[in-house]
Structures are given as C-alpha cells and as structure tokens.
Amino acid sequence: VGGTYRYLSKTENIDLIFTNPFFIQGVADFREDYNDGNHIADLILSYRFPKDILLRVNIKNINNEFYAVRPAMIEPPRSFSIQLSKKW
C-alpha cells in the first residue's frame, strides 16, 4: 500500500492573455469557481503473488478534485489503472 499527496495552492496571478475571452474561453469563470487550492491524493495497492507475479492497482485523484495546475489546462478526474507483471 502506498500513495501520494500534494497540495496545490491558490493561483495568485496569470498572464493577461488567459483572461481574454477571445483567446481561451472560460478561464476567468474556472478561476472564480475553483481557485481556493486543492488537496490531491493518489493510492497505490499492490500484491506480489508467488513466481514473481505482481498485481498493482493505481487510483489517481481519489477525491475526484476538479483542478488545474496551469491556466486552461484542467487535470483529469479520478482514474484507475491495473497492472499485472511477471519477471522472467
């Protein structure tokens, strides 16, 4: 069992071009609604079977936060991945 946690603080300033509605629409509205800072957590579960077989389940953004690291670049919602590997 493992995981990651990161806090993304409120964005204070962005370039003026991003506030121009003719450049990319919705940036100002997004910042108004979702600019209080974000707590993002990921979870990793793994189990090692005999004969060097490893099963791993990754859950990214487990709290399903709606956030953007950069203006106009919204990050994906919660996602899951499963990995099965075998060492030869």
Side-chain angles (χ1 to χ4, degrees):
V1 176
T4 62
Y5 167 82
R6 56 200 177 277
Y7 174 72
L8 305 170
S9 63
K10 176 182 177 179
T11 303
E12 295 292 333
N13 295 308
I14 62 172
D15 293 334
L16 288 177
I17 189 105
F18 289 108
T19 61
N20 183 335
F22 297 107
F23 182 66
I24 298 176
Q25 295 180 355
V27 173
D29 294 334
F30 181 86
R31 283 177 43 93
E32 187 176 308
D33 294 339
Y34 298 99
N35 196 29
D36 295 329
N38 300 92
H39 300 270
I40 310 300
D42 303 327
L43 181 64
I44 302 166
L45 305 170
S46 62
Y47 182 78
R48 186 171 303 280
F49 293 95
K51 299 186 180 181
D52 293 324
I53 297 173
L54 179 66
L55 175 66
R56 178 173 288 152
V57 177
N58 299 313
I59 306 170
K60 295 190 174 243
N61 192 7
I62 60 174
N63 44 345
N64 208 24
E65 284 283 328
F66 199 55
Y67 69 101
V69 176
R70 297 182 190 141
M73 188 173 167
I74 298 171
E75 297 297 320
R78 181 183 307 126
S79 63
F80 302 87
S81 65
I82 298 173
Q83 177 185 20
L84 182 64
S85 61
K86 164 84 172 122
K87 285 188 180 180
W88 300 96

